[in-house]
């Protein structure tokens, strides 16, 4: 195997596939990156047995030249090496000189940058035992504009649980309902739901649950105009341009969160508030908390005259109080104890100028909705606090 390629083009592909490298040593071959070269181009693949990524660099890019086809597994160290090889590199793979090392390969890297004279030899292994990448079949389950796919993920993935003892809650539930694609997450203390209207919907039963962690990473790597989603052999396949991601679907029944979300009319207090003003005040409360390991608790008290008051429930460094004017207040004077971190993350999920906050009771769910999107909602359960004003 022998190729010559621009380092920027190669690094772009390596960055896309490195997220699904296996960090354990249970399957050593999965801790490496597969380089597969044909006359059509170079394919980079990683697989950690749960998630996998494949990125194709075509010879039509004119920054890749193929001299000899072949395959090899290369350690991820190559990513840092390529960064120091200047504008381009020549990669040559040959059999190991030691005839007893039948699985070993000798990899030679030479910079083709006239200003840099660098040559590196490193060890690789045969790619024969590497898992076969799952291919998409038939028409896509869904086709979405990339910007919409990224936006709907940014509003939901952060609210999923990280507790592996309840794996179903570590996922994003994807379903369809009346022409809407609905993404939902919950960790039992908070909930996020976002919807997107699309004509590209195919029936897929009760939906599917996909681990939130890989989806979060994938959303940051997508740079194409659209994404195609496939469901093949209990795996979600996400096609984005020349990059394909796969992740194993989670098993189990996702709870019916529609029953958890109270109707908007069933509230004790409701108001519109400037999102950035509320966010800044809560971030100050979060700073004052000092120990942010549990998110901190803030008391939110409504004032029927047109404002809310935010105070720290407990702090080891300083005490703070903030007052913010609100619009369209209806309901009673009341106070609730909120998880400051959860509330901050919920507000950051939106871009709208105003958000509506709905309080359903001292210990009832708190709803946060963007002013301009009726289908999106964040739900946070309040705490019982000794300092809470009744």
């Amino acid at each position: 195997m022998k190729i010559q390629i621009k380092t920027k083009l190669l690094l772009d592909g390596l960055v896309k596939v490195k997220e699904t490298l296996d960090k354990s040593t249970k399957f050593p071959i999965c801790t490496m990156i597969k380089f597969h070269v044909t006359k059509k181009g170079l394919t980079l693949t990683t697989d950690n047995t749960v998630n996998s990524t494949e990125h194709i660099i075509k010879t039509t890019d004119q920054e890749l030249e193929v001299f000899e086809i072949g395959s090899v597994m290369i350690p991820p160290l190559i990513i840092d090496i390529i960064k120091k090889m200047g504008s381009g590199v020549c990669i040559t793979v040959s059999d190991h000189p030691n005839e007893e090392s039948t699985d070993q390969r000798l990899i030679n890297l030479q910079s083709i940058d006239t200003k840099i004279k660098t040559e590196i030899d490193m060890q690789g292994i045969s790619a024969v035992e590497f898992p076969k990448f799952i291919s998409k079949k038939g028409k896509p389950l869904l086709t979405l504009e990339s910007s919409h796919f990224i936006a709907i993920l940014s509003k939901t993935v952060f609210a999923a649980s990280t507790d592996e003892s309840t794996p179903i809650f570590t996922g994003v539930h994807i379903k369809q309902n009346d022409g809407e694609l609905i993404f939902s997450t919950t960790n039992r203390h908070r909930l996020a739901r976002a919807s997107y209207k699309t004509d590209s919907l195919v029936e897929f039963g009760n939906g599917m649950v996909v681990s939130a962690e890989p989806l979060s990473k994938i959303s940051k790597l997508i740079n194409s105009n659209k994404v195609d989603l496939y469901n093949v052999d209990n795996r979600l396949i996400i096609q984005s341009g020349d990059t394909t991601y796969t992740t194993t679907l989670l098993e189990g029944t996702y709870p019916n969160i529609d029953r958890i979300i109270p109707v908007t009319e069933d509230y004790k207090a409701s108001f519109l508030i400037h999102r950035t003003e509320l966010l800044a005040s809560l971030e100050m409360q979060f700073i004052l908390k000092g120990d942010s390991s549990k998110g901190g608790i803030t008391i939110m008290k409504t004032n029927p005259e047109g404002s809310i008051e935010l105070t720290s429930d407990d702090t080891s460094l300083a005490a703070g109080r903030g007052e913010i004017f609100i619009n369209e207040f209806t309901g009673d004077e009341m106070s609730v104890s909120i998880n400051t971190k959860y509330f901050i993350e919920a507000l950051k999920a939106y871009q709208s100028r105003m958000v509506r906050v709905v309080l359903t009771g001292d210990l009832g769910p708190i709803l946060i909705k963007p002013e301009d999107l009726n289908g999106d909602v964040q739900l946070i359960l309040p705490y019982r606090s000794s300092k809470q004003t009744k």
Side-chain angles (χ1 to χ4, degrees):
M1 173 190 136
K2 183 177 180 180
I3 61 171
Q4 186 169 294
I5 187 170
K6 295 291 185 181
T7 51
K8 184 177 183 301
L9 184 65
L10 179 55
L11 281 172
D12 178 67
L14 290 171
V15 167
K16 285 183 169 66
V17 302
K18 74 174 184 177
E19 293 296 344
T20 50
L21 279 167
D22 194 347
K23 303 301 190 295
S24 70
T25 56
K26 186 177 181 180
F27 302 100
I29 197 170
C30 291
T31 65
M32 308 176 81
I33 303 168
K34 180 181 178 181
F35 281 58
H36 177 64
V37 176
T38 68
K39 291 298 182 182
K40 294 182 178 180
L42 165 66
T43 300
L44 304 171
T45 311
T46 56
D47 191 319
N48 62 17
T49 70
V50 176
N51 310 303
S52 59
T53 309
E54 180 182 85
H55 179 73
I56 299 173
I57 302 173
K58 301 174 183 176
T59 50
T60 53
D61 287 325
Q62 298 182 343
E63 295 184 335
L64 167 65
E65 189 173 359
V66 173
F67 299 102
E68 186 179 342
I69 64 173
S71 298
V72 67
M73 302 303 302
I74 302 182
L77 176 64
I78 192 174
I79 298 175
D80 292 325
I81 293 175
I82 292 297
K83 291 177 182 178
K84 307 300 182 183
M85 299 296 279
S87 60
V89 63
C90 180
I91 304 175
T92 305
V93 179
S94 57
D95 292 339
H96 200 280
N98 183 352
E99 295 181 358
E100 295 181 358
S101 302
T102 56
D103 289 336
Q104 300 295 312
R105 299 291 184 268
L106 184 62
I107 302 162
N108 177 262
L109 308 173
Q110 287 189 10
S111 171
I112 59 173
D113 192 320
T114 56
K115 298 180 181 179
I116 299 176
K117 292 184 179 180
T118 303
E119 182 174 354
I120 303 290
D121 286 331
M122 59 189 306
Q123 300 292 324
I125 62 173
S126 168
V128 174
E129 300 298 326
F130 191 71
K132 184 179 179 181
F133 193 82
I134 295 179
S135 301
K136 55 185 182 291
K137 300 175 183 177
K139 294 182 179 180
L141 187 70
L142 300 167
T143 297
L144 304 171
E145 291 183 25
S146 296
S147 59
H148 292 151
F149 182 64
I150 294 170
I152 202 170
L153 286 176
S154 69
K155 296 173 186 176
T156 53
V157 290
F158 64 89
S161 174
T162 57
D163 185 358
E164 294 295 338
S165 65
T166 53
I168 196 67
F169 291 106
T170 65
V172 179
H173 184 226
I174 305 174
K175 71 173 185 177
Q176 59 169 314
N177 184 35
D178 295 333
E180 282 190 323
L181 184 65
I182 302 173
F183 283 43
S184 306
T185 54
T186 183
N187 67 356
R188 293 178 174 169
H189 301 286
R190 65 174 170 180
L191 178 153
R193 185 181 70 181
S195 62
Y196 169 62
K197 289 186 179 295
T198 175
D199 295 329
S200 178
L201 281 177
V202 178
E203 290 291 338
F204 54 102
N206 295 323
M208 51 190 169
V209 185
V210 188
S211 179
E213 183 180 5
L215 284 180
S216 179
K217 292 178 179 178
I218 289 169
S219 68
K220 297 173 184 176
L221 298 173
I222 291 173
N223 56 11
S224 62
N225 293 326
K226 69 181 182 68
V227 294
D228 293 325
L229 275 61
Y230 301 80
N231 185 351
V232 180
D233 298 334
N234 201 41
R235 274 182 173 251
L236 177 67
I237 299 178
I238 303 173
Q239 176 76 46
S240 169
D242 292 324
T243 309
T244 305
Y245 309 93
T246 83
T247 182
T248 303
L249 299 180
L250 298 178
E251 297 181 356
T253 302
Y254 204 79
N256 181 5
I257 65 169
D258 293 335
R259 296 183 300 179
I260 303 173
I261 303 174
V263 294
T264 306
E265 292 76 15
D266 185 17
Y267 64 86
K268 299 294 184 182
S270 174
F271 55 87
L272 275 176
I273 189 168
H274 284 270
R275 184 182 65 87
T276 54
E277 291 181 7
L278 178 56
L279 179 59
S281 187
L282 286 170
E283 287 178 333
M284 180 59 71
Q285 296 292 335
F286 191 66
I287 293 171
L288 294 175
K289 173 63 180 175
D291 177 13
S292 60
S293 60
K294 294 184 179 180
I297 296 176
T298 297
I299 304 296
M300 177 185 290
K301 180 181 179 182
T302 62
N303 181 350
E305 295 180 0
S307 67
I308 63 166
E309 182 180 307
L310 300 174
T311 56
S312 300
D313 177 53
D314 181 32
T315 179
S316 57
L317 296 179
R321 174 183 174 274
E323 185 174 9
I324 307 173
F325 292 105
I326 57 178
N327 299 328
E328 298 182 14
F329 177 82
T330 57
D332 306 321
E333 178 180 333
M334 61 178 298
S335 64
V336 291
S337 300
I338 61 173
N339 182 302
T340 315
K341 181 181 178 182
Y342 284 0
F343 219 104
I344 289 172
E345 291 176 338
L347 292 172
K348 286 184 175 180
Y350 297 137
Q351 299 298 319
S352 61
R353 176 172 168 268
M354 307 286 287
V355 292
R356 179 167 295 281
V357 178
V358 179
L359 309 178
T360 63
D362 293 343
L363 297 175
I366 302 167
L367 303 182
I368 308 163
K369 295 184 175 185
E371 182 184 23
D372 51 350
L373 293 173
N374 293 329
D376 293 355
V377 64
Q378 304 283 332
L379 181 151
I380 299 173
L381 295 179
Y383 289 114
R384 186 184 300 276
S385 171
S386 59
K387 293 185 179 182
Q388 186 172 326
T389 304
K390 297 183 179 180

